[in-house]
Amino acid sequence: MKILDWYILKRYLLTFFMMLLLFIPIGITVHLAEKIGKILDNDVPLNAVLIYLFDFTIYFAHLLFPLFLFLSVIWFTSKLANNTEIVAFLSSGVSFSRFLRPYMIGATIVAILSIILGLFMAPKASKGFNDFSYKYLKKGRSAVDNTNVFRQINDNDIIYVSRFDVKNNSGDNFTLEHFEDNELKYKITASKIRFIEEDTLYRLTNYVKRDIGKNEDVLEIARKKDTIFSFDVDDLIPVIYAAETKMYGELKEFIAKEESRGSSNVGRFKLVLYRKWSLPASVFILTIIALAVSAKKRRGGMGINLALGICIAMVFVFFDKIFGVMAEQSDFSPLIAVWFPNILFGVLAIYLLYNAKR
């Protein structure tokens, strides 16, 4: 690797990590200042708070990796342009495509770090972050969708619960329908279902089982009935952030299982899966945009480049959030929701790079 490559790559990575070291403490301070009242009110142990802040650091850094990179590239490239170093590089016979190479090498390194974070570190951090938030900071808010639960538990059984109380492990208006060869064989209903953890069984109140016969049905009625089902409480109502806490292989299996059960949160879960690869891809796109925007020396200096870069970053985040919400709340494809901002800004990157070469 030539001196030019080492020089730019060193500036690329050093500025990026300095940006992380600068903004992460600021993010922690702002977040802690916002939540300190609830933390003190709930008498949260100090070690729990420290672990939470560590998880928050990884969670926060992973989500904003591309944007930190984007701003850092604009920053150091603008300094190169203002010092007329870029003009000197290009005047020496170095083509703009050759000048771009160390940027792409740096982007590859950062993308690999993003993949490692997304596949291995972020799931564990996300679990700790969300568990702490719902335990201490969001008291009274449920971490599950516990109303009108309608799920296919396996190939033969479908259940419904109008409302499920996670604290008491109990639900109202329970129904289970058992099918064989697409024919209803029996149906169980109960006004209340409760999971007895110490006995690992379910207790049904006002239990009614209807066996569907060829000529007539057979009814079994009981005031209370203890029984065992092929599902547990976590299968019945997984937490909203369950997908964020799973490794890649576990996540794919989890989504397939939730899809077969007719979960209403599949779109949200698929967003998490697809973002594990879209975030690293956005690193390359935003690097090219940042270089193209800041490689030219402007009258307003570095401030103009930073202002333009922040505007582009805000638009990128806006599209990412809007399409993410659409995928969560409707039938909009999660794959399109995740990759559309990358495709849109990829086209912008090609356009800006073409004009920068000129």
Side-chain angles (χ1 to χ4, degrees):
M1 189 179 290
K2 295 186 178 180
I3 296 176
L4 169 64
D5 296 325
W6 277 115
Y7 178 72
I8 293 177
L9 182 59
K10 183 173 67 174
R11 297 286 295 273
Y12 183 106
L13 296 176
L14 182 62
T15 308
F16 171 66
F17 287 114
M18 288 298 295
M19 189 74 70
L20 284 179
L21 293 175
L22 175 65
F23 277 98
I24 287 178
I26 294 174
I28 292 174
T29 303
V30 172
H31 185 73
L32 187 59
E34 181 185 356
K35 305 297 183 183
I36 191 66
K38 292 182 179 179
I39 290 174
L40 295 176
D41 290 343
N42 292 310
D43 296 323
V44 184
L46 177 61
N47 64 325
V49 175
L50 294 177
I51 293 173
Y52 167 71
L53 292 178
F54 177 74
D55 291 332
F56 170 77
T57 300
I58 298 176
Y59 184 81
F60 179 70
H62 175 245
L63 288 179
L64 298 181
F65 233 54
L67 295 183
F68 286 148
L69 176 70
F70 183 65
L71 294 177
S72 64
V73 172
I74 287 181
W75 176 273
F76 87 83
T77 306
S78 296
K79 291 186 69 175
L80 292 178
N82 287 340
N83 295 334
T84 65
E85 292 179 80
I86 294 179
V87 174
F89 292 147
L90 299 179
S91 299
S92 66
V94 176
S95 67
F96 199 88
S97 299
R98 177 65 182 81
F99 179 68
L100 178 64
R101 190 169 77 177
Y103 284 85
M104 292 294 97
I105 295 173
T108 301
I109 295 173
V110 174
I112 292 172
L113 291 176
S114 179
I115 291 173
I116 293 172
L117 267 178
L119 295 183
F120 303 106
M121 299 179 67
K124 185 176 180 180
S126 179
K127 177 173 173 53
F129 172 79
N130 283 290
D131 286 348
F132 184 95
S133 296
Y134 279 95
K135 184 177 181 179
Y136 296 112
L137 307 180
K138 299 180 180 180
K139 283 193 170 183
R141 291 180 58 182
S142 176
V144 299
D145 287 336
N146 59 348
T147 57
N148 294 323
V149 179
F150 181 83
R151 297 173 67 77
Q152 182 173 339
I153 297 302
N154 51 48
D155 292 339
N156 299 319
D157 297 328
I158 297 175
I159 63 169
Y160 170 80
V161 180
S162 63
R163 184 181 179 278
F164 197 89
D165 188 340
V166 181
K167 292 182 179 179
N168 299 323
N169 284 333
S170 64
D172 300 323
N173 302 321
F174 171 76
T175 300
L176 182 146
E177 295 180 345
H178 179 80
F179 293 84
E180 293 179 10
D181 297 326
N182 293 324
E183 290 186 6
L184 180 63
K185 292 300 182 180
Y186 64 81
K187 179 177 181 179
I188 296 175
T189 60
S191 60
K192 184 175 280 296
I193 180 173
R194 182 166 176 260
F195 180 64
I196 311 298
E197 191 170 358
E198 55 270 21
D199 298 325
T200 62
L201 55 80
Y202 290 89
R203 179 163 296 160
L204 305 178
T205 304
N206 297 325
Y207 167 86
V208 177
K209 180 179 180 181
R210 179 185 294 271
D211 287 297
I212 310 299
K214 291 184 178 180
N215 299 320
E216 60 180 15
D217 298 346
V218 178
L219 288 178
E220 179 187 349
I221 301 175
R223 180 73 180 86
K224 287 187 178 180
K225 175 79 171 181
D226 291 345
T227 187
I228 297 174
F229 289 123
S230 60
F231 60 87
D232 55 32
V233 175
D234 291 335
D235 288 333
L236 184 63
I237 45 169
V239 294
I240 295 171
Y241 56 86
E244 298 177 17
T245 66
K246 298 185 181 299
M247 299 298 180
Y248 189 75
E250 296 175 342
L251 179 55
K252 291 182 71 175
E253 293 177 3
F254 174 73
I255 291 175
K257 187 183 293 184
E258 289 299 298
E259 225 169 0
S260 68
R261 290 172 171 173
S263 172
S264 59
N265 292 318
V266 170
R268 181 184 291 117
F269 299 152
K270 285 186 175 181
L271 281 175
V272 177
L273 178 69
Y274 298 144
R275 276 179 176 149
K276 290 186 182 295
W277 300 110
S278 68
L279 279 177
S282 66
V283 167
F284 294 95
I285 295 169
L286 293 177
T287 294
I288 294 173
I289 293 176
L291 171 61
V293 166
S294 55
K296 183 178 180 182
K297 187 174 182 179
R298 302 178 190 275
R299 181 173 297 179
M302 189 185 302
I304 296 296
N305 290 337
L306 284 174
L308 182 59
I310 291 172
C311 290
I312 293 174
M314 289 177 62
V315 174
F316 181 84
V317 172
F318 173 78
F319 275 100
D320 182 63
K321 293 298 181 183
I322 286 294
F323 283 96
V325 172
M326 287 174 60
E328 290 179 4
Q329 305 296 334
S330 67
D331 294 332
F332 191 79
S333 170
L335 185 63
I336 295 176
V338 166
W339 284 99
F340 182 79
N342 278 354
I343 294 172
L344 182 64
F345 280 78
V347 174
L348 176 63
I350 293 171
Y351 171 78
L352 292 176
L353 184 61
Y354 174 76
N355 282 276
K357 286 182 178 180
R358 294 175 62 186

Coordinates of all heavy atoms in Angstrom, one line a residue, residues 215-245:
N215 N -71.4 -38.0 13.6 CA -72.9 -37.9 13.8 C -73.2 -36.9 14.8 O -74.2 -36.2 14.7 CB -73.4 -39.3 14.1 CG -73.2 -40.3 13.0 OD1 -73.3 -40.0 11.8 ND2 -72.9 -41.5 13.4
E216 N -72.5 -36.9 15.9 CA -72.8 -35.9 17.0 C -71.5 -35.6 17.7 O -70.5 -36.3 17.7 CB -73.8 -36.5 18.0 CG -73.4 -37.8 18.6 CD -74.4 -38.4 19.6 OE1 -75.6 -37.9 19.5 OE2 -74.0 -39.2 20.4
D217 N -71.6 -34.4 18.4 CA -70.4 -34.0 19.2 C -70.5 -34.5 20.6 O -71.6 -34.7 21.1 CB -70.3 -32.4 19.2 CG -70.2 -31.9 17.8 OD1 -69.8 -32.7 16.9 OD2 -70.4 -30.7 17.6
V218 N -69.3 -34.6 21.2 CA -69.2 -35.0 22.6 C -68.7 -33.8 23.4 O -67.6 -33.3 23.1 CB -68.3 -36.2 22.8 CG1 -68.2 -36.6 24.2 CG2 -68.8 -37.4 21.9
L219 N -69.4 -33.5 24.5 CA -69.0 -32.4 25.3 C -68.3 -32.9 26.6 O -68.8 -33.8 27.3 CB -70.1 -31.5 25.7 CG -70.7 -30.6 24.5 CD1 -71.9 -29.8 25.0 CD2 -69.7 -29.7 24.0
E220 N -67.3 -32.2 27.0 CA -66.6 -32.4 28.3 C -66.6 -31.1 29.1 O -66.0 -30.1 28.6 CB -65.2 -33.0 28.2 CG -64.5 -33.2 29.5 CD -63.1 -33.7 29.4 OE1 -62.7 -34.0 28.2 OE2 -62.4 -33.6 30.4
I221 N -67.2 -31.0 30.2 CA -67.4 -29.7 30.9 C -66.8 -29.9 32.3 O -67.1 -30.9 33.0 CB -68.8 -29.2 31.0 CG1 -69.4 -29.1 29.6 CG2 -69.0 -27.9 31.7 CD1 -70.9 -28.8 29.5
A222 N -66.1 -28.9 32.8 CA -65.5 -28.9 34.2 C -65.4 -27.5 34.7 O -65.1 -26.5 33.9 CB -64.2 -29.6 34.2
R223 N -65.6 -27.3 36.0 CA -65.4 -26.0 36.6 C -64.0 -25.5 36.5 O -63.7 -24.4 36.2 CB -65.9 -26.0 38.0 CG -65.8 -24.7 38.8 CD -66.8 -23.7 38.3 NE -66.7 -22.4 39.0 CZ -65.9 -21.4 38.6 NH1 -65.2 -21.6 37.5 NH2 -65.9 -20.3 39.3
K224 N -63.1 -26.5 36.8 CA -61.6 -26.2 36.7 C -61.0 -27.5 36.1 O -61.4 -28.6 36.4 CB -61.0 -25.9 38.0 CG -61.3 -24.5 38.5 CD -60.5 -24.2 39.8 CE -60.9 -22.7 40.3 NZ -60.1 -22.4 41.5
K225 N -60.0 -27.2 35.3 CA -59.3 -28.3 34.6 C -57.8 -28.0 34.5 O -57.4 -27.0 34.0 CB -59.8 -28.5 33.2 CG -59.1 -29.6 32.4 CD -59.6 -31.0 32.7 CE -59.0 -32.0 31.7 NZ -59.4 -33.4 32.0
D226 N -56.9 -28.9 35.1 CA -55.5 -28.8 35.0 C -55.0 -29.7 33.8 O -55.4 -30.9 33.8 CB -54.8 -29.2 36.3 CG -55.1 -28.2 37.4 OD1 -55.5 -27.1 37.1 OD2 -54.8 -28.5 38.6
T227 N -54.2 -29.1 32.9 CA -53.8 -29.9 31.8 C -52.4 -29.4 31.3 O -51.9 -28.3 31.8 CB -54.8 -29.8 30.6 OG1 -54.4 -30.6 29.6 CG2 -54.9 -28.3 30.1
I228 N -51.8 -30.1 30.4 CA -50.5 -29.7 29.8 C -50.7 -29.4 28.3 O -51.4 -30.2 27.6 CB -49.5 -30.8 30.0 CG1 -49.3 -31.1 31.5 CG2 -48.2 -30.5 29.3 CD1 -48.4 -32.3 31.8
F229 N -50.2 -28.3 27.8 CA -50.2 -28.0 26.4 C -48.8 -28.0 25.8 O -47.8 -28.0 26.6 CB -50.8 -26.6 26.2 CG -52.3 -26.6 26.4 CD1 -52.8 -25.7 27.4 CD2 -53.2 -27.4 25.8 CE1 -54.2 -25.6 27.6 CE2 -54.5 -27.4 26.0 CZ -55.0 -26.5 26.9
S230 N -48.7 -28.0 24.5 CA -47.4 -28.1 23.8 C -46.7 -26.8 23.6 O -45.8 -26.6 22.8 CB -47.6 -28.8 22.5 OG -48.5 -28.0 21.7
F231 N -47.2 -25.7 24.3 CA -46.6 -24.4 24.2 C -46.4 -23.9 25.6 O -47.0 -24.3 26.6 CB -47.5 -23.5 23.5 CG -48.9 -23.3 24.1 CD1 -49.1 -22.3 25.1 CD2 -50.0 -24.1 23.7 CE1 -50.4 -22.1 25.6 CE2 -51.2 -23.9 24.3 CZ -51.4 -22.9 25.2
D232 N -45.4 -22.9 25.7 CA -45.2 -22.2 27.0 C -45.5 -20.8 26.8 O -45.9 -20.3 25.8 CB -43.8 -22.4 27.5 CG -42.7 -22.0 26.5 OD1 -43.0 -21.1 25.7 OD2 -41.6 -22.6 26.5
V233 N -45.4 -20.0 27.9 CA -45.8 -18.6 27.9 C -45.0 -17.8 26.9 O -45.5 -16.9 26.2 CB -45.7 -18.0 29.3 CG1 -46.0 -16.5 29.3 CG2 -46.6 -18.7 30.3
D234 N -43.7 -18.1 26.8 CA -42.9 -17.3 25.9 C -43.3 -17.6 24.4 O -43.2 -16.7 23.6 CB -41.4 -17.7 26.0 CG -40.8 -17.2 27.3 OD1 -41.3 -16.2 27.9 OD2 -39.8 -17.8 27.8
D235 N -43.7 -18.8 24.1 CA -44.3 -19.1 22.8 C -45.6 -18.3 22.5 O -45.9 -17.9 21.4 CB -44.5 -20.6 22.6 CG -43.2 -21.4 22.5 OD1 -42.2 -20.7 22.0 OD2 -43.2 -22.5 22.8
L236 N -46.3 -18.2 23.6 CA -47.7 -17.6 23.5 C -47.6 -16.1 23.2 O -48.2 -15.6 22.3 CB -48.4 -17.8 24.8 CG -49.9 -17.3 24.8 CD1 -50.7 -18.0 23.8 CD2 -50.5 -17.5 26.2
I237 N -46.7 -15.4 23.9 CA -46.6 -14.0 23.8 C -45.1 -13.6 23.9 O -44.6 -13.1 24.9 CB -47.4 -13.2 24.8 CG1 -47.3 -13.8 26.2 CG2 -48.8 -13.1 24.4 CD1 -47.9 -12.9 27.3
P238 N -44.3 -13.7 22.8 CA -42.9 -13.3 22.9 C -42.8 -11.8 23.1 O -43.6 -11.1 22.6 CB -42.3 -13.8 21.6 CG -43.5 -13.8 20.6 CD -44.7 -14.2 21.5
V239 N -41.7 -11.3 23.7 CA -41.6 -9.9 23.9 C -41.3 -9.2 22.6 O -40.8 -9.8 21.6 CB -40.4 -9.6 24.9 CG1 -40.6 -10.1 26.3 CG2 -39.1 -10.2 24.3
I240 N -41.7 -7.9 22.5 CA -41.7 -7.2 21.3 C -40.2 -7.1 20.8 O -40.0 -7.1 19.6 CB -42.2 -5.7 21.6 CG1 -43.7 -5.8 21.9 CG2 -42.0 -4.8 20.4 CD1 -44.3 -4.5 22.4
Y241 N -39.3 -7.0 21.7 CA -37.9 -6.8 21.2 C -37.2 -8.2 21.2 O -35.9 -8.2 21.1 CB -37.1 -5.9 22.2 CG -37.2 -6.3 23.6 CD1 -36.2 -7.1 24.2 CD2 -38.1 -5.7 24.5 CE1 -36.2 -7.5 25.5 CE2 -38.1 -6.1 25.8 CZ -37.2 -6.9 26.3 OH -37.2 -7.3 27.7
A242 N -37.9 -9.3 21.1 CA -37.3 -10.6 21.1 C -36.3 -10.8 19.9 O -35.2 -11.4 20.1 CB -38.4 -11.7 21.0
A243 N -36.6 -10.3 18.8 CA -35.8 -10.5 17.6 C -34.4 -9.8 17.8 O -33.4 -10.3 17.3 CB -36.5 -9.9 16.3
E244 N -34.4 -8.6 18.5 CA -33.2 -7.9 18.6 C -32.2 -8.6 19.5 O -31.0 -8.3 19.5 CB -33.5 -6.5 19.2 CG -34.3 -5.6 18.4 CD -34.6 -4.3 19.1 OE1 -33.9 -4.0 20.0 OE2 -35.6 -3.6 18.7
T245 N -32.7 -9.6 20.3 CA -31.8 -10.2 21.3 C -31.2 -11.6 20.8 O -30.6 -12.3 21.5 CB -32.6 -10.5 22.6 OG1 -33.6 -11.4 22.3 CG2 -33.2 -9.2 23.1

